[in-house]
């Protein structure tokens, strides 16, 4: 008897170890299942994929030819059947769903009319479906708060509408203002207004701009870190003229050409710079992902620019502009913004329709920023919020702001 029990115990341990090894080394799995919610049956296709840096689930949900798509960045210990419930709401020809995972994570509300998949915000602006939020007890999550404004003279920050990982840098003619978790700090680069921001550059959480005094150039650049709320002065060994032009940003480094002194600079947000080219040692230009020799007239006459090499993304619909994030392509079609899934380029969601006079569109993972009239807005899964009110946006909104979204890894 003892021998049989010991054998059974050893066998059980072996099975558990075997299952653990299989799960641990599993790179992917696909499973199909159904969920019954009230009178509706939802068909679910679940695909787990292990990537180099993260794991994720691709979820497709079908209900009577209305299809919804989700990507969940979580490995759930490689478990299967991670969707446990689907709450839904119907009005007119729209079916809106709100899936819930096994760890009670509530996914984004999407709606479908059988022709297109839409965000909650897009549909709610056309058909009032706010009752769905009442049933979900999520009215507060989707409610904007425009009551708490923090002012910096002419600029008003709607502080309650900012997320803790959002770091805003705002160009204000002779200074840049950084808004960081309820605190705003000013960093001056000139004692006179520089109306057009032609030389200041936003690179991730950094801002780089030449320092001038009474309109005259100095051999200095201001470097501002919006996360640390710190500034640094980069001192140049050579004089800088008032005839600089930005060639471009490659690998998060700024390239500048001085037309007077015929010198090409590389400026790094780590606080350093180097002379990349001059009349003695020649010049370099960035073409199709490679550094090649250049002539001085490429800069003095042709005013060439450097651009990061962008791959052509072919979708099953035409778009005017495309933005790439970690998991999605965001496309602009007229004044409509779509989110397309990298895993399946045929699947897209219509997120929002912009005002005709929008400008300065910036896209981050899950968030879209833009200016209309004198307001800076943000769209995310909860809808559209006002972040900043600035009368100058009406008159000068080119290269005037940058929003950096800090990731969990930073």
């Amino acid at each position: 008897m003892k021998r049989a029990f010991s054998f059974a115990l050893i066998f059980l341990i072996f099975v558990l170890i075997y299952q653990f090894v299989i799960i641990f080394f599993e790179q992917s799995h696909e499973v199909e299942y159904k969920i019954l919610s009230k009178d509706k049956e939802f068909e679910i296709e679940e695909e787990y994929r292990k990537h180099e840096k993260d794991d994720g689930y691709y979820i497709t949900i079908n209900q009577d030819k209305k299809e919804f798509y989700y990507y969940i960045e979580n490995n759930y210990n490689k478990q299967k059947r991670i969707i446990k419930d689907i709450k839904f709401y119907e009005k007119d020809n729209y079916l809106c769903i709100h899936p819930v995972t096994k760890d009670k994570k509530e996914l984004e509300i999407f709606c479908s009319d059988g022709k297109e998949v839409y965000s909650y915000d897009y549909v709610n602006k056309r058909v009032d479906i706010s009752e769905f939020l009442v049933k979900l007890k999520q009215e507060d999550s989707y409610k904007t708060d425009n009551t708490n404004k923090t002012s910096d003279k002419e600029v008003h920050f709607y502080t309650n509408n900012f997320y803790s990982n959002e770091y805003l840098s705002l160009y204000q003619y002779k200074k840049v203002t950084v808004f960081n978790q309820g605190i705003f700090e000013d960093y001056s680069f000139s004692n006179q207004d520089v109306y057009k921001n032609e030389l200041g550059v936003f690179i991730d959480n950094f801002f780089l701009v030449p320092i001038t005094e009474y309109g005259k150039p100095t051999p200095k650049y201001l470097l501002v870190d919006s996360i640390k709320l710190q500034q640094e002065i980069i001192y140049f060994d050579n004089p800088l003229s008032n005839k600089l032009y930005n060639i471009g940003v490659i690998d998060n480094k700024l390239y500048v050409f001085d037309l007077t002194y015929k010198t090409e600079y590389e400026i790094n947000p780590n606080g350093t710079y180097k002379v990349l080219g001059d009349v003695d040692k020649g010049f370099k230009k960035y073409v199709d992902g490679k550094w090649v020799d250049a002539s001085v007239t490429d800069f003095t006459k042709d005013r060439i620019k450097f651009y990061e090499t962008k791959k052509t993304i072919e979708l099953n619909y035409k778009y005017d502009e495309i933005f790439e994030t970690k998991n999605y392509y965001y496309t602009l079609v007229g004044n409509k913004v779509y989110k397309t899934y990298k895993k399946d380029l045929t699947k897209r969601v219509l997120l929002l329709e912009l005002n005709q006079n929008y400008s300065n569109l910036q896209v981050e993972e899950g968030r879209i920023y833009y200016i209309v009239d004198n307001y800076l807005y943000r769209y995310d899964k909860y809808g559209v919020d006002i972040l900043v009110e600035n009368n100058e946006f009406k008159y000068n909104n080119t290269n005037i702001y940058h929003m950096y979204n800090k990731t969990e890894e930073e």
Side-chain angles (χ1 to χ4, degrees):
M1 184 72 177
K2 286 183 179 181
R3 230 174 130 185
F5 176 78
S6 299
F7 177 79
L9 181 61
I10 292 171
F11 180 75
L12 177 61
I13 293 173
F14 174 80
V15 170
L16 292 173
I17 293 174
Y18 176 78
Q19 289 179 335
F20 172 79
V21 170
I22 292 297
I23 293 174
F24 182 81
F25 288 102
E26 183 180 49
Q27 300 294 310
S28 65
H29 71 242
E30 295 181 22
V31 62
E32 297 181 3
Y33 53 101
K34 298 178 181 180
I35 288 180
L36 184 65
S37 180
K38 295 183 179 179
D39 61 335
K40 290 194 179 297
E41 185 177 69
F42 294 87
E43 299 176 349
I44 301 173
E45 298 175 14
E46 173 184 302
E47 181 181 355
Y48 163 77
R49 290 283 179 190
K50 181 175 177 59
H51 304 288
E52 287 185 10
K53 295 183 178 180
D54 49 59
D55 301 359
Y57 286 78
Y58 300 92
I59 305 293
T60 302
I61 299 175
N62 290 279
Q63 207 293 311
D64 192 22
K65 297 181 180 180
K66 292 179 179 178
E67 201 170 59
F68 307 85
Y69 328 110
Y70 293 90
Y71 175 72
I72 308 171
E73 193 170 341
N74 190 320
N75 69 5
Y76 287 103
N77 294 319
K78 305 177 183 178
Q79 298 178 65
K80 298 178 180 179
R81 300 173 180 263
I82 64 168
I83 303 298
K84 287 303 177 185
D85 189 20
I86 298 177
K87 301 167 186 178
F88 69 90
Y89 180 83
E90 290 182 290
K91 189 169 184 179
D92 293 351
N93 194 38
Y94 292 103
L95 170 65
C96 301
I97 68 168
H98 189 56
V100 181
T101 64
K102 59 172 47 183
D103 63 348
K104 298 184 179 179
K105 177 180 179 180
E106 297 177 326
L107 304 184
E108 191 170 350
I109 296 174
F110 285 149
C111 303
S112 175
D113 58 1
K115 301 176 183 177
E116 192 87 74
V117 181
Y118 310 91
S119 70
Y120 167 85
D121 182 74
Y122 184 89
V123 173
N124 194 50
K125 281 183 169 61
R126 290 152 180 81
V127 178
D128 185 5
I129 57 172
S130 57
E131 183 186 4
F132 191 25
L133 298 183
V134 177
K135 292 182 177 181
L136 295 172
K137 298 180 180 180
Q138 288 202 5
E139 308 99 298
D140 291 340
S141 297
Y142 287 76
K143 190 181 297 181
T144 188
D145 184 355
N146 298 331
T147 58
N148 189 12
K149 293 196 295 185
T150 300
S151 297
D152 176 24
K153 295 181 180 179
E154 298 87 4
V155 182
H156 305 289
F157 300 90
Y158 291 78
T159 56
N160 288 350
N161 292 340
F162 279 78
Y163 293 119
S164 61
N165 72 329
E166 289 180 318
Y167 299 85
L168 174 67
S169 298
L170 184 64
Y171 181 86
Q172 295 200 75
Y173 303 140
K174 54 186 176 184
K175 65 182 181 180
V176 61
T177 299
V178 174
F179 186 81
N180 175 331
Q181 299 186 15
I183 301 171
F184 56 82
E185 295 284 350
D186 293 333
Y187 302 93
S188 298
F189 54 84
S190 175
N191 50 15
Q192 294 180 350
D193 284 349
V194 182
Y195 188 68
K196 290 185 178 181
N197 182 20
E198 296 178 336
L199 294 176
V201 175
F202 302 102
I203 303 176
D204 290 341
N205 55 301
F206 299 101
F207 178 68
L208 276 165
V209 66
I211 295 174
T212 60
E213 295 176 359
Y214 299 102
K216 296 182 179 181
T218 69
K220 295 180 288 187
Y221 258 74
L222 174 69
L223 171 64
V224 176
D225 185 332
S226 62
I227 293 179
K228 296 180 179 179
L229 286 177
Q230 293 179 354
Q231 70 173 5
E232 181 180 344
I233 306 298
I234 302 175
Y235 293 90
F236 285 65
D237 295 327
N238 306 324
L240 298 177
S241 77
N242 58 359
K243 292 185 178 180
L244 302 175
Y245 89 89
N246 290 339
I247 315 171
V249 176
I250 302 296
D251 294 331
N252 285 351
K253 298 172 185 174
L254 171 63
Y255 293 87
V256 178
F257 194 86
D258 191 321
L259 292 165
T260 299
Y261 295 109
K262 296 181 177 57
T263 306
E264 182 183 9
Y265 293 101
E266 175 189 275
I267 308 175
N268 196 320
N270 67 9
T272 63
Y273 84 94
K274 71 178 182 180
V275 175
L276 188 64
D278 56 29
V279 291
D280 293 326
K281 66 179 182 180
F283 302 91
K284 294 291 182 181
K285 61 183 177 181
Y286 190 80
V287 181
D288 296 331
K290 297 179 181 179
W291 290 100
V292 297
D293 292 336
S295 67
V296 68
T297 56
D298 286 334
F299 304 99
T300 57
K301 182 180 178 180
D302 299 331
R303 302 287 181 92
I304 64 169
K305 293 279 189 176
F306 297 166
Y307 299 99
E308 297 272 17
T309 303
K310 292 185 177 181
K311 57 185 178 182
T312 302
I313 308 300
E314 294 186 4
L315 304 177
N316 61 350
Y317 62 94
K318 293 182 179 180
Y319 57 84
D320 301 310
E321 197 169 357
I322 190 166
F323 305 85
E324 182 177 1
T325 65
K326 183 179 179 181
N327 299 311
Y328 307 101
Y329 294 113
Y330 291 84
T331 55
L332 189 61
V333 181
N335 62 331
K336 293 181 179 179
V337 181
Y338 292 85
K339 178 174 72 173
T340 299
Y341 293 71
K342 282 187 172 181
K343 190 252 177 187
D344 188 341
L345 299 181
T346 66
K347 296 179 179 179
R348 70 179 189 180
V349 179
L350 176 50
L351 300 178
L352 78 158
E353 187 170 10
L354 298 165
N355 188 290
Q356 291 289 350
N357 63 333
Y358 80 91
S359 65
N360 279 256
L361 187 69
Q362 181 187 330
V363 177
E364 300 293 330
E365 192 79 69
R367 297 172 187 170
I368 299 168
Y369 304 91
Y370 57 95
I371 291 174
V372 175
D373 295 329
N374 58 334
Y375 292 98
L376 171 63
Y377 294 93
R378 178 198 60 231
Y379 165 87
D380 68 359
K381 66 180 181 180
Y382 298 114
V384 175
D385 285 314
I386 299 173
L387 297 180
V388 177
E389 180 182 357
N390 181 5
N391 288 331
E392 288 300 314
F393 286 159
K394 290 182 180 179
Y395 313 109
N396 181 20
N397 55 31
T398 302
N399 197 27
I400 201 168
Y401 86 93
H402 179 74
M403 183 70 79
Y404 182 71
N405 285 205
K406 185 178 179 180
T407 62
E408 293 181 359
E409 292 80 17
E410 291 181 90

